[in-house]
């Protein structure tokens, strides 16, 4: 029995194509692509895109600056008629390297699948926070450090159980699986406070003008 082709959420599609998630959703809203109906048990995903949809979205926005909407539509008609062609003639002046776009999407999809296999979630580990499999290191923490400009070598020194490949996959995983809802508390994330001390702040007499001048 053939394997079921993977469907992508808008966030996953954005991570694979390199197109912003807002642009992906805009493509669905404007019916540039038609979101497929998710398979039973697919959870809350209501917008599911196929690999062909990803190719269309990627090319639609990549050639948007040089092709009108009408010419883009003609391009995609040509792609549908030649599904295995490496290059497709958009018009008399432009030839699109569709094969390279497909190759990029395939490589990025493999990276996403590797990232998903690398991440583990267990309520007993860090309160269910996504971590690198076999560790207690939060994936979002590492991705955030990279986004904020922390040098990869510095991260690897601080987290010797990680490798460069894992750092790359962490950013892909986080872009494909953005955090939803309100941020979790430290307790929800599995952190424990050693102590809690309440301190009453004393009023500064100088602030009320009741103090005695020196």
């Amino acid at each position: 029995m053939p394997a079921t082709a993977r469907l992508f959420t808008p966030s996953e599609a954005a991570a694979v194509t390199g197109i912003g998630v807002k642009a992906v959703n805009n493509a669905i809203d404007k019916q540039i692509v038609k979101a497929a109906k998710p398979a039973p048990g697919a959870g809350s995903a209501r917008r599911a895109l196929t690999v062909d949809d990803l190719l269309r979205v990627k090319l639609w926005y990549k050639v948007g600056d040089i092709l009108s909407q009408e010419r883009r539509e003609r391009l995609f008609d040509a792609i549908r008629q030649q599904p295995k062609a490496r290059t497709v003639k958009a018009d008399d002046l432009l030839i699109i390297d569709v094969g390279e776009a497909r190759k990029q999407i395939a490589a990025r999809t493999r990276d996403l699948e590797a990232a998903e296999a690398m991440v583990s979630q267990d309520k007993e580990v860090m309160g269910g926070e996504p971590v690198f499999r076999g560790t207690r290191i939060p994936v979002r923490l590492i991705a955030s450090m990279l986004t904020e400009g922390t040098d990869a070598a510095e991260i690897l020194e601080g987290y010797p159980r990680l490798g460069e490949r894992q750092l790359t996959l962490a950013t892909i995983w986080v872009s494909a699986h953005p955090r939803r809802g309100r941020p979790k508390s430290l307790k929800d994330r599995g952190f424990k406070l050693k102590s809690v001390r309440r301190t009453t702040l004393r009023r500064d007499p100088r602030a009320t003008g009741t103090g005695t001048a020196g």
Side-chain angles (χ1 to χ4, degrees):
M1 183 176 179
T4 303
R6 172 167 182 159
L7 295 177
F8 300 81
T9 66
S11 294
E12 291 170 346
V16 170
T17 61
I19 305 298
V21 67
K22 288 185 178 180
V24 173
N25 279 310
N26 186 56
I28 297 173
D29 292 337
K30 292 186 175 181
Q31 296 191 334
I32 295 170
V33 292
K34 294 183 179 180
K37 185 177 181 180
S44 60
R46 292 176 294 176
R47 295 184 159 200
L49 303 177
T50 65
V51 170
D52 287 340
D53 291 332
L54 267 57
L55 176 65
R56 185 179 179 92
V57 169
K58 184 178 181 68
L59 292 179
W60 184 272
Y61 286 105
K62 291 297 184 182
V63 301
D65 293 337
I66 54 178
L67 291 180
S68 65
Q69 180 171 337
E70 181 181 352
R71 293 170 73 194
R72 278 180 279 181
E73 289 290 358
R74 288 204 300 267
L75 168 64
F76 288 112
D77 285 340
I79 292 175
R80 280 191 291 269
Q81 294 170 12
Q82 308 170 63
K84 295 184 179 180
R86 177 173 178 79
T87 59
V88 174
K89 194 173 183 180
D91 54 29
D92 292 337
L93 301 176
L94 182 64
I95 296 177
I96 302 296
D97 190 345
V98 181
E100 180 60 27
R102 287 197 180 100
K103 185 187 299 183
Q104 292 173 2
I105 289 173
R108 193 72 171 179
T109 298
R110 289 193 295 270
D111 285 343
L112 175 58
E113 291 173 345
E116 291 171 339
M118 173 192 75
V119 176
S120 174
Q121 285 184 268
D122 186 335
K123 291 183 179 180
E124 300 300 320
V125 179
M126 302 297 288
E129 181 74 12
V131 298
F132 292 91
R133 190 174 298 279
T135 77
R136 296 176 63 85
I137 305 172
V139 177
R140 296 188 192 279
L141 170 64
I142 298 302
S144 177
M145 293 173 69
L146 290 168
T147 300
E148 293 173 3
T150 304
D151 187 71
E154 184 178 346
I155 295 175
L156 294 176
E157 182 179 355
Y159 297 91
R161 297 188 65 180
L162 301 181
E164 291 185 8
R165 174 66 170 164
Q166 288 170 297
L167 301 192
T168 299
L169 295 180
T171 59
I172 295 173
W173 188 89
V174 169
S175 64
H177 301 277
R179 189 187 296 280
R180 301 186 184 281
R182 298 176 60 183
K184 292 184 177 181
S185 65
L186 289 175
K187 181 178 179 181
D188 291 336
R189 294 185 186 184
F191 294 101
K192 295 182 179 180
L193 295 177
K194 292 184 178 180
S195 64
V196 176
R197 177 182 297 177
R198 293 186 178 182
T199 302
T200 301
L201 296 179
R202 296 181 179 179
R203 184 185 298 275
D204 186 345
R206 291 172 296 181
T208 60
T210 59
T212 303

